Amino acid sequence: QGTVQFRLRDWGVSRQRYWGCPIPVIHCDHCGIVPVPNDQLPVTLPEDVSFDKSGNPLDHHPTWKHVDCPRCGKPARRETDTFDTFMESSWYFARFCDANNADTGFDRNKAAHWLPVDQYVGGIEHAVLHLLYSRFFTRALKDCGYLDVKEPFEGLFTQGMICHETYRGEDGKWLLPEEVEKDEAGGYRVIGSGKAVRAGRSEKMSKSKKNVVDPGSIIGNYGADAARLFMLSDSPPERDMDWTESGIEGAWRYVNRLWRMVTEPPVSLPESGTPPPAEFSGKAAAAHRAIHQAIDNVTRDLEGFRFNVAVARIRELTNQLAELDGSGAGEGWVLREGFEAVARMIGPMMPHMAEELWTSLGHSAILAETAWPEADPTLLVNDTVTVAVQINGKLRGTIDIAHDADRDIAEAAALALPKVIESLDGKAPRKVIVVPNRIVNVVV
């Protein structure tokens, strides 16, 4: 019979540092370790600390740590260690349910209404320890009567890490990416001195190895929205991704291209809400269908955390919209519909850009308060499908036929392919196997 075994490790929760929650105990030479009385909680950190000495600033503070023992009244000392921040983050989601409560951590009824948390998203280093600590805290709080739930989270999604190549100088010290440039031979040199640099593997960004990029310079050069778009589009969110200059530049170029497309359309766009025209050109009809298929797919991709796929679908749609020059019937109306759909769908990835696009399209209400687009179900089925044609089980071509074409039409189209005719060499096929809307296999 299957069992669940928890491997909760011993956890040293104290840290010798200023930030963090003070540990509410007092050390007395006569009484030992004494809890801070309830009427003296919470213990707050002093704000006049100094960081000019090594070690814990609370240990160096002249007055904060000195207090009378609440049990015997003799001089005693506060605990100067603070809790590990995992200690607070293991239960703060319950506090979010009742954040303005000044009397207690949270009201049990309010916590029962909101918990458990619908979705936990965290880095890979949190996927085991922090998750396990949170589950332990939740069960302890339930056993003590504070909560009604046994598990804190309903869903878990573990995101990958942002990585970058590492660099070391001739002296072995780590170098920042901004201190390094490529030379003509493809190697790396220190900017200014020209000294050789040894490039290492791409690793999780960390201050200790200096393989970090400055967010301020990225936002200053490319904008926050381009940075968001690159991070979401580069790889599936559960995988690690490498930060590259070429990647952010590609996202930035797309942002500029999209802005030009919407603000400089090839034809005057009809007013928002204008009824569709009586007829569409072939390209307009295809784009109209593509808009609604993109809405349907992107909606499902976002719900499934497939952000990179959602971005790819939006970019694919903008490429198709860029082919409309306004000369065909209904193309201006389709461009209006497409631009509005793109602005709404890309809003979660590029909120600032999306709001500007929405305003440029003539809307006064902000996009963040506008409903998510809905796909027309009648446009989600393609008029035609591409069917693979095989000869003795090996792919030899494809045919495009109506999605509701019968077996005879599919067979006739397959037998008319040049490679099939060449293989038959005037003879009738031994057998033709048709899998509707998927495969035609000609056995010769």
Side-chain angles (χ1 to χ4, degrees):
Q1 181 179 350
T3 61
V4 177
Q5 186 172 1
F6 294 93
R7 298 184 182 274
L8 191 63
R9 306 174 187 175
D10 289 341
W11 178 18
V13 298
S14 62
R15 298 292 184 270
Q16 292 75 47
R17 59 192 182 197
Y18 173 72
W19 67 91
C21 180
I23 299 175
V25 298
I26 294 170
H27 298 272
C28 176
D29 291 337
H30 298 83
C31 304
I33 297 176
V34 181
V36 173
N38 286 347
D39 60 2
Q40 296 179 23
L41 296 175
V43 178
T44 57
L45 294 170
E47 297 185 9
D48 58 339
V49 292
S50 173
F51 296 93
D52 56 355
K53 297 180 181 178
S54 61
N56 186 354
L58 294 176
D59 222 15
H60 305 315
H61 196 279
T63 60
W64 181 82
K65 65 179 181 180
H66 299 294
V67 65
D68 291 336
C69 174
R71 187 171 295 168
C72 69
K74 294 180 180 179
R77 182 178 63 86
R78 288 192 189 279
E79 174 58 62
T80 56
D81 281 7
T82 55
F83 278 126
D84 171 21
T85 48
F86 265 14
M87 187 83 175
E88 293 84 62
S89 61
S90 292
W91 70 275
Y92 70 93
F93 43 85
R95 173 65 178 177
F96 284 174
C97 301
D98 192 15
N100 297 318
N101 193 327
D103 300 319
T104 186
F106 51 86
D107 179 79
R108 178 172 180 169
N109 292 329
K110 290 183 179 179
H113 173 78
W114 291 108
L115 295 179
V117 176
D118 296 306
Q119 183 68 50
Y120 179 111
V121 180
I124 189 66
E125 75 276 19
H126 290 174
V128 177
L129 288 181
H130 183 254
L131 185 61
L132 198 55
Y133 296 148
S134 299
R135 297 179 71 194
F136 167 76
F137 262 68
T138 301
R139 294 190 176 220
L141 288 169
K142 184 181 188 303
D143 289 347
C144 294
Y146 293 100
L147 287 177
D148 293 329
V149 296
K150 289 179 63 177
E151 292 288 346
F153 314 115
E154 284 195 337
L156 169 66
F157 187 88
T158 302
Q159 65 191 25
M161 309 302 293
I162 307 295
C163 303
H164 198 288
E165 204 171 31
T166 53
Y167 307 103
R168 283 181 188 252
E170 293 176 344
D171 56 2
K173 293 183 179 179
W174 299 105
L175 295 169
L176 291 165
E178 61 202 51
E179 299 176 289
V180 176
E181 64 180 356
K182 267 193 172 183
D183 58 25
E184 295 179 356
Y188 292 94
R189 299 282 173 180
V190 177
I191 296 175
S193 70
K195 292 183 177 180
V197 172
R198 186 171 74 254
R201 64 180 183 178
S202 181
E203 298 184 44
K204 180 184 78 170
M205 285 189 182
S206 66
K207 289 180 289 185
S208 62
K209 295 183 179 177
K210 292 191 174 182
N211 62 332
V212 295
V213 290
D214 179 15
S217 64
I218 294 167
I219 293 171
N221 291 332
Y222 303 105
D225 278 357
R228 286 190 186 94
L229 188 70
F230 168 53
M231 287 190 287
L232 291 172
S233 63
D234 184 72
S235 62
E238 67 272 16
R239 296 183 188 172
D240 292 347
M241 68 159 284
D242 287 319
W243 183 273
T244 62
E245 195 73 16
S246 60
I248 182 66
E249 286 178 355
W252 181 73
R253 286 194 298 270
Y254 174 74
V255 170
N256 284 274
R257 175 171 174 254
L258 179 59
W259 175 255
R260 290 192 299 270
M261 280 182 61
V262 176
T263 59
E264 303 171 14
V267 63
S268 179
L269 303 180
E271 291 292 321
S272 183
T274 302
E279 61 177 293
F280 293 104
S281 68
K283 285 173 34 175
H288 181 45
R289 186 180 299 276
I291 291 166
H292 288 266
Q293 291 178 339
I295 292 171
D296 180 63
N297 287 323
V298 169
T299 302
R300 287 187 281 108
D301 289 334
L302 293 180
E303 291 288 344
F305 295 95
R306 297 182 296 273
F307 305 127
N308 61 313
V309 179
V311 172
R313 293 191 199 276
I314 295 172
R315 295 187 66 157
E316 183 180 358
L317 175 60
T318 56
N319 289 339
Q320 189 162 351
L321 293 174
E323 296 177 3
L324 302 180
D325 58 12
S327 61
E331 289 188 8
W333 187 92
V334 171
L335 281 172
R336 154 71 69 176
E337 181 190 45
F339 291 156
E340 291 193 351
V342 168
R344 286 191 279 179
M345 288 189 292
I346 212 163
M349 298 89 158
M350 300 196 300
H352 304 101
M353 174 73 167
E355 290 288 355
E356 293 294 333
L357 293 175
W358 193 244
T359 300
S360 73
L361 289 167
H363 296 280
S364 56
I366 65 172
L367 180 60
E369 295 179 351
T370 303
W372 185 257
E374 293 187 10
D376 183 344
T378 64
L379 297 172
L380 301 182
V381 179
N382 286 319
D383 290 333
T384 61
V385 292
T386 300
V387 175
V389 177
Q390 299 177 340
I391 299 176
N392 293 337
K394 294 184 179 180
L395 182 66
R396 288 294 180 264
T398 60
I399 54 174
D400 292 326
I401 58 175
H403 73 89
D404 55 354
D406 59 26
R407 184 186 188 284
D408 292 339
I409 293 175
E411 181 177 331
L415 294 176
L417 278 181
K419 286 198 174 182
V420 175
I421 295 173
E422 181 183 339
S423 297
L424 290 174
D425 194 23
K427 300 176 183 177
R430 287 196 292 142
K431 185 189 298 183
V432 179
I433 303 169
V434 177
V435 179
N437 292 339
R438 292 185 61 191
I439 297 170
V440 177
N441 184 29
V442 180
V443 181
V444 299

